Amino acid sequence: MNFQESVGGNFETAIEVRSIAANTDLLAAKNGENSMSEQANIDLVKKFYESYLRGDAEQVLSTMSPDIDWTIPDMPGIAFSGKRRGKQQVTEFFQIVAASQQLRHFEPREFFAGGDRVVVLGHHDWTVRASGLEFGSDWTQVFTVQNGEIAAFSQMMDTRRVVEAYRQSGPAAVRAPSPGHILRPILQ
């Protein structure tokens, strides 16, 4: 799979992601004095991922600022897509994801830091709970860290694969979240 395919075949997105990663590398190389805070930012993002994979909702939320901006690409008919703001809406995002799909594989592969940004390249595989259909995608996640907290999150991925898996699953594919569940069901 080439780079353009890994970001969903969208040429503009591929250019944007490549530009973010390249600029982040340049900033990291030029600003040796920022390497400590950049390393702290990478460590915070790694803590976020570790907590997520353990299903530790409290720890995941503790890495975020109260008014976090959370962006997943808009996808027609996909309830967890789009923009959210604040920990409550991010919690709702995780609840909808947990009710809708089962995580099979999640791997952050490369980390780049520059200033207050951390760019992570990785891969995930999911199963739509309603149908058992599977999809996977390489992804790019961009975190903005301010005052030791994740202030913004944005993900780029192959949205076509997600939409196709849900479209084939039918209208019941996205269920209402169960109260009190946030991360644990993702990993079951």
Side-chain angles (χ1 to χ4, degrees):
M1 176 181 307
N2 66 32
F3 183 80
Q4 186 175 350
E5 290 170 334
S6 74
V7 292
N10 182 315
F11 183 72
E12 290 79 19
T13 301
I15 296 297
E16 180 182 343
V17 169
R18 214 176 250 170
S19 176
I20 289 169
N23 287 335
T24 301
D25 274 349
L26 286 173
L27 285 171
K30 286 183 181 177
N31 298 325
E33 68 277 2
N34 288 336
S35 63
M36 286 301 286
S37 64
E38 290 170 359
Q39 186 58 52
N41 292 347
I42 288 173
D43 291 344
L44 177 67
V45 170
K46 286 182 177 181
K47 177 181 175 183
F48 166 85
Y49 287 134
E50 290 164 3
S51 301
Y52 172 74
L53 290 171
R54 280 193 321 270
D56 187 341
E58 186 176 319
Q59 196 64 21
V60 167
L61 293 172
S62 77
T63 65
M64 300 176 190
S65 70
D67 59 346
I68 185 171
D69 287 318
W70 188 271
T71 306
I72 302 293
D74 282 320
M75 296 174 274
I78 309 299
F80 57 80
S81 69
K83 295 183 182 204
R84 290 174 170 72
R85 184 166 177 87
K87 288 183 180 183
Q88 181 59 43
Q89 289 185 5
V90 172
T91 298
E92 292 167 2
F93 161 81
F94 282 116
Q95 290 172 335
I96 295 168
V97 169
S100 306
Q101 56 193 37
Q102 168 79 40
L103 182 62
R104 292 190 340 266
H105 178 77
F106 183 88
E107 181 183 3
R109 294 178 176 161
E110 296 181 63
F111 292 78
F112 305 91
D116 65 353
R117 289 224 174 138
V118 176
V119 177
V120 185
L121 306 178
H123 182 85
H124 59 207
D125 294 302
W126 296 89
T127 301
V128 177
R129 289 187 186 273
S131 66
L133 291 173
E134 298 177 349
F135 67 92
S137 175
D138 286 343
W139 47 256
T140 301
Q141 296 179 343
V142 180
F143 296 81
T144 303
V145 178
Q146 296 174 345
N147 302 316
E149 297 176 318
I150 298 169
F153 168 89
S154 179
Q155 176 171 290
M156 289 153 265
M157 62 185 169
D158 188 344
T159 58
R160 179 185 49 84
R161 291 181 186 199
V162 179
V163 171
E164 285 176 2
Y166 276 89
R167 185 175 295 140
Q168 292 175 23
S169 297
V174 178
R175 302 184 308 240
S178 303
H181 291 96
I182 178 173
L183 295 177
R184 206 47 80 189
I186 292 175
L187 305 173
Q188 295 176 348

